[in-house]
Every structure is written in structure tokens, then in C-alpha cells.
Amino acid sequence: MNPSGVTNFIKKLQFHKGGREKLEKLKKLQPYPLLPKYQQKTIALTPKQLNSRTSEPSESSIFKIMDLVERFINYTKFDTQSSEDSDSVPSTSKQLEFAKYLKKELEDEGLSDVEMDDMGYIYATLKGNTKKETPTIGFISHMDTSPDASGKDVKARIIRNYDGNDIELSPGIISSVSKFPELKAHKGEDIIVTDGTTLLGADDKAGIAEIVQAMCYLRDHNEIKHGDIRVGFNPDEEIGMGAHHFDVDKFACDWAYTVDGGDLGDLEYENFNAAGAKIKIKGVSVHTGYAKGKMVNASRLAVEFQNMIPEDETPEATEGYQGFYHLIGIESRCEEAKLSYIIRDHDRSKFEDRKKFIADCAKKLNEKYGEGTCTAEINDQYYNMKEKIDPNMHVIDIVLRAMQESGVPPRVEPIRGGTDGAQLSFKGLPCPNIFAGGVNFHGPHEFVSIQVMEKVVQTIVKIAEITAEYND
């Protein structure tokens, strides 16, 4: 199938890149079918059975369910938390331990050209099985977990046939349906949760597990024709540095997909423009008994700086396309204070205005307390990938068709965050983001549905299969 063939398929479903509202018919697809509940033993399902509510497992497989689950849970045992306070690459050495493990696993699974550089970036290839000239595509996920919550000693637990009620993660630690209504969509499924003391790491170890599982399936099913498929795993996405050292030339793909989205059907090619701001405030420490007219309390000035940030322009007060300022942390004493912010907005002009606002806040403190009292270091992290995806909409069309054929209703929405794909798109590799299945990232209430993970694997396989028809 050529590009126009794919586009015509999408047009029949009333999809056009000109407006998100025209996705409504796609969104009315029947909900994805639940898979038969697996037993403790390894089960295998055919593609037909994946799309049936009533079929029973057989020995022919699309993938071995327990292999996927075990692979993911094994990954969660690695503490790969990244750090914004580090100048090294990767930002934490523990990410390298996981990278070494992944490199060996890819080699053991028979992938070609497996390599890991000294910064922990992993590249590998599943060789094509067709003589046709086909595009080379890639799938990318990140190894690190968020600095916002501990990723050490993760105790993943499977809740089978989730009943839709509150979940006691540990005594006194409850994932309530009222606070986390996303749970309701997964009633009847098997979900993986934490013990409430750490994050889970589905962001993005679920993505890694799903990519590896899909490559294993394609390796074992030569009847599905595909071109060369590249796999890339990188550190430090959570601190906005994941794509900085990603070697796009070495990856050598026509386009790629990050598998780093959220729940079932997420497809994202609009993201925030992003920057980080580090504020430093110099104080003057004097004995409190003799401080009048002399002391400059940096801790108090830090509070004054934060009070200049509009209360209705924070993450907890915004949604959709609304941008925000987010205070990540404060370190302070009388003599010195440090504040760290992230700045986000989908609109490039508003994004520039937000950065200027932070600089102006620092200027106001200097005008009030003296030049040099406050400095603001603002650095751009990534930009909205939409301007790079719009000229390459066949990349989106293929995913939509793959989701349709996998029984997955798409949810095309802007990312209230970013992915490595945003930076990679600006480095010349169009790279939208597809769902990985995790929900409530970056905290102890994170969970992932096994059935959704299976659908990710199926969607990846379908993308590879459809792309092989690209030049027909």
C-alpha cells in the first residue's frame, strides 16, 4: 500500500489532519476486547483470539503473556531514577546497570547490531524478512524513572480481575477510585500496582518490555513481512536530556515512534514547549539580635519569588493546552536559596512570554533588594513536535490504521509533557508517541493493565506489517 492508500483508508474514517474533532468516528470504535484471563502457566494467543472475548488460548502464539509480564516486572527491579542535579551522562550510574542488562537480553533474543555506547544508549536491529524496498522504522523507549518518587526496591503486584473498587496498596495507603477515576476503565482486567512506597516504572519500562516482546514475536513469525526495524533505549528522558545524545544518524531510520504514552489508544504528536529555570538568591546572614537593616533572608525572598507566580497557572490548576509554571523544589537558608522550576506551554509565543516572566520576577527582586541578589538561569529543553510531524502525516496515518486493525480506539490528544520524540523530531527523525499503558505516572499510585500492554505489542506488530506495504 502506498502513502495515498493509507491516507484514503483514514479519510474513509473521516480523519483529516486539519482538525481533531474529525476523529470522532474513530473514537466510536468498540472498546478493545478483553483477553481470556491467563493462568499461572504460560499461555499463548493468536491474533484472532486477541480480538475475541470468548476464544480460549491455544498453543500458537502472538506472544507469551507471562513472558511479557515477567519481562516488565523484572525490569522494575532495577532502580533507574535519573537526577537533575547531575552533570554526568547518564545522570546516575545505576542506569548503566540496567542498560548492560538490556544489551545482553537483546543479544540473547537474537537481534542484530546490538551496541551500547559509554553513555548507556542502546541500539539494535531486527532484520527485515522481505526483498521489497521498505522504509526503516524505529521504536524507542527510555530506561530512567522520574526523580519525583523513589524507584528503589519496587514491589510490583498483580491484581487479577480487578473489581473496580479502591485498592489497598499497603496498610493505610489507598488508591481510591474517587481520587484516581482512571481505575474504573480497567475493571475486569489484570493490573500491576505498587506497594504504595515507590513508583512502578511503567514509565517507561512497560514501553521497553512491549518493544522487546514485539520484536520477539516478529522474529518468530516469518509470515509477517517487515523491513528492518531499529530499536533504541536511552537514559535521562525524565530530566529532559534523553535525546540530547541520541545518535540519529547511527539509528538510520526514516521515522520512528516513542512508546512512552499513557493509557489505551493514546497517540500524541503535539507536546509542550519546555524549559527549565534555576533561580539563585543571595542573602546576608547576620546574628538575629543585630539584624536590623543588615540581614537579607534568602529563604524569605524565595517565598516572595514564588508568590509572584500566578496561582492559576500551575499544573494542578491547568489542563489541555493551558501552560504552567511548576516549582520542583526549594533549598534555602538565610544566606542562600535555590528554586527550580519547569516552564511549559504548547504555544511557542506564550512559551517565550513565560520565560520572560520568570526573568522579570528575578529583575523585580534585584530592583528591591539590590543588583545581584537574584539570578535566573533559563534553558530550553524541547519544543512542540507538531511542526515537524505535520509535513509527515503518513506516520500518523499508519498508526491509526494499526490501531484500527488491533481493535484499539485512538485518543489523539496533546501531551501535557514531552517525550524524547519531540527532540528527535527536531533532529530530523519524525517521532510521534504511542501508548505504553501506564497510568498515574511518577508516583506510588502508578499502575498498568496487562491487557493494555498486550494491545501495545499487537499495535507495534501491526505498524511494522503496514509499513512493509508502504511502497506497494
Side-chain angles (χ1 to χ4, degrees):
M1 178 175 288
N2 58 32
S4 63
V6 176
T7 301
N8 287 336
F9 170 86
I10 299 299
K11 284 181 178 179
K12 290 178 182 178
L13 292 170
Q14 298 182 0
F15 173 76
H16 300 277
K17 68 180 181 182
R20 285 176 295 275
E21 71 281 356
K22 294 181 181 178
L23 283 162
E24 289 310 309
K25 189 168 182 180
L26 271 171
K27 293 179 179 179
K28 291 178 182 177
L29 287 169
Q30 289 299 311
Y32 70 102
L34 298 181
L35 302 184
K37 299 300 170 192
Y38 61 88
Q39 309 299 317
Q40 291 292 337
K41 64 180 182 179
T42 297
I43 314 175
L45 301 175
T46 65
K48 182 177 180 180
Q49 288 164 347
L50 272 170
N51 288 305
S52 170
R53 292 179 182 271
T54 58
S55 56
E56 293 300 322
S58 74
E59 292 304 316
S60 60
S61 67
I62 182 165
F63 54 86
K64 295 178 179 178
I65 297 177
M66 288 302 289
D67 283 355
L68 173 63
V69 175
E70 289 172 350
R71 194 186 300 276
F72 167 64
I73 291 179
N74 192 37
Y75 292 169
T76 68
K77 296 175 183 177
F78 289 84
D79 178 10
T80 58
Q81 187 180 51
S82 51
S83 172
E84 291 186 306
D85 298 324
S86 171
D87 294 325
S88 65
V89 182
S91 62
T92 54
S93 61
K94 52 193 175 183
Q95 293 182 71
L96 286 174
E97 296 305 311
F98 184 41
K100 292 173 185 176
Y101 175 87
L102 280 176
K103 178 178 181 289
K104 183 177 186 305
E105 182 173 271
L106 293 174
E107 291 170 339
D108 291 345
E109 294 292 5
L111 272 71
S112 305
D113 310 322
V114 181
E115 58 179 304
M116 183 185 84
D117 65 23
D118 57 3
M119 294 177 288
Y121 288 73
I122 297 174
Y123 309 94
T125 306
L126 179 68
K127 293 293 187 182
N129 62 358
T130 177
K131 295 180 179 180
K132 294 191 302 182
E133 183 177 344
T134 62
T136 299
I137 62 171
F139 294 95
I140 300 167
S141 290
H142 63 89
M143 297 178 285
D144 64 316
T145 59
S146 171
D148 291 348
S150 173
K152 181 178 172 58
D153 298 326
V154 173
K155 297 177 178 63
R157 173 168 64 100
I158 299 174
I159 298 177
R160 304 183 190 281
N161 193 21
Y162 168 57
D163 62 9
N165 295 320
D166 292 355
I167 301 171
E168 184 176 48
L169 302 175
S170 287
I173 304 176
I174 307 296
S175 280
S176 68
V177 175
S178 61
K179 189 170 184 179
F180 302 102
E182 302 89 350
L183 284 163
K184 296 177 183 178
H186 299 282
K187 182 178 180 179
E189 298 173 26
D190 304 310
I191 63 175
I192 305 175
V193 301
T194 74
D195 68 350
T197 63
T198 68
L199 48 66
L200 178 61
D203 178 16
D204 191 25
K205 289 168 183 169
I208 297 174
E210 291 149 0
I211 291 171
V212 174
Q213 203 70 37
M215 296 305 103
C216 291
Y217 173 69
L218 289 168
R219 174 202 65 197
D220 295 340
H221 289 264
N222 198 53
E223 72 276 9
I224 296 181
K225 300 305 176 185
H226 60 85
D228 285 355
I229 301 172
R230 293 281 278 160
V231 169
F233 302 135
N234 58 269
D236 289 341
E237 187 271 350
E238 296 291 357
I239 58 172
M241 302 295 291
H244 279 44
H245 301 283
F246 194 101
D247 194 331
V248 169
D249 292 335
K250 178 185 290 185
F251 202 51
C253 288
D254 294 281
W255 66 82
Y257 302 94
T258 51
V259 184
D260 189 24
D263 211 344
L264 183 81
D266 280 359
L267 170 58
E268 301 156 330
Y269 62 94
E270 294 182 75
N271 60 276
F272 278 137
N273 297 290
K278 294 187 181 298
I279 311 302
K280 292 184 180 180
I281 300 173
K282 292 182 179 179
V284 178
S285 181
V286 180
H287 188 289
T288 54
Y290 307 94
K292 186 174 180 180
K294 302 173 184 177
M295 176 183 286
V296 179
N297 188 339
S299 294
R300 187 178 61 77
L301 267 61
V303 174
E304 186 173 341
F305 187 98
Q306 169 59 21
N307 285 342
M308 287 189 273
I309 303 299
E311 291 184 1
D312 60 350
E313 296 184 28
T314 60
E316 59 268 37
T318 54
E319 61 184 354
Y321 284 93
Q322 297 171 324
F324 59 76
Y325 309 92
H326 177 46
L327 176 62
I328 296 174
I330 301 176
E331 298 177 21
S332 72
R333 59 184 191 277
C334 184
E335 195 169 47
E336 183 182 58
K338 298 177 182 179
L339 300 90
S340 296
Y341 290 89
I342 60 173
I343 305 166
R344 300 291 188 264
D345 209 294
H346 283 91
D347 183 275
R348 187 64 174 265
S349 177
K350 292 179 180 178
F351 172 63
E352 297 299 330
D353 289 343
R354 289 188 182 280
K355 291 189 294 180
K356 184 177 183 301
F357 175 80
I358 290 291
D360 287 345
C361 289
K363 183 179 179 180
K364 288 179 181 178
L365 285 188
N366 286 330
E367 290 172 349
K368 185 174 180 179
Y369 297 101
E371 193 63 35
T373 299
C374 183
T375 59
E377 180 184 337
I378 303 171
N379 294 302
D380 289 356
Q381 295 170 325
Y382 52 83
Y383 303 109
N384 191 341
M385 74 173 90
K386 186 177 187 296
E387 66 180 84
K388 299 298 182 181
I389 299 298
D390 274 350
N392 297 282
M393 284 302 291
H394 60 280
V395 177
I396 302 300
D397 293 349
I398 288 171
V399 180
L400 288 169
R401 179 181 164 190
M403 288 185 178
Q404 162 73 8
E405 295 187 8
S406 301
V408 175
R411 301 193 308 173
V412 182
E413 297 177 348
I415 311 172
R416 285 188 59 77
T419 70
D420 291 323
Q423 295 182 57
L424 294 173
S425 293
F426 279 87
K427 293 175 76 170
L429 179 66
C431 196
N433 190 38
I434 65 175
F435 67 110
V439 183
N440 297 332
F441 297 147
H442 297 188
H445 299 279
E446 182 181 11
F447 72 91
V448 64
S449 161
I450 292 172
Q451 281 76 13
V452 174
M453 291 180 69
E454 294 164 6
K455 281 295 181 180
V456 179
V457 175
Q458 189 178 2
T459 300
I460 292 171
V461 169
K462 278 292 181 185
I463 290 172
E465 184 178 9
I466 293 168
T467 303
E469 303 170 356
Y470 183 82
N471 289 323
D472 285 359

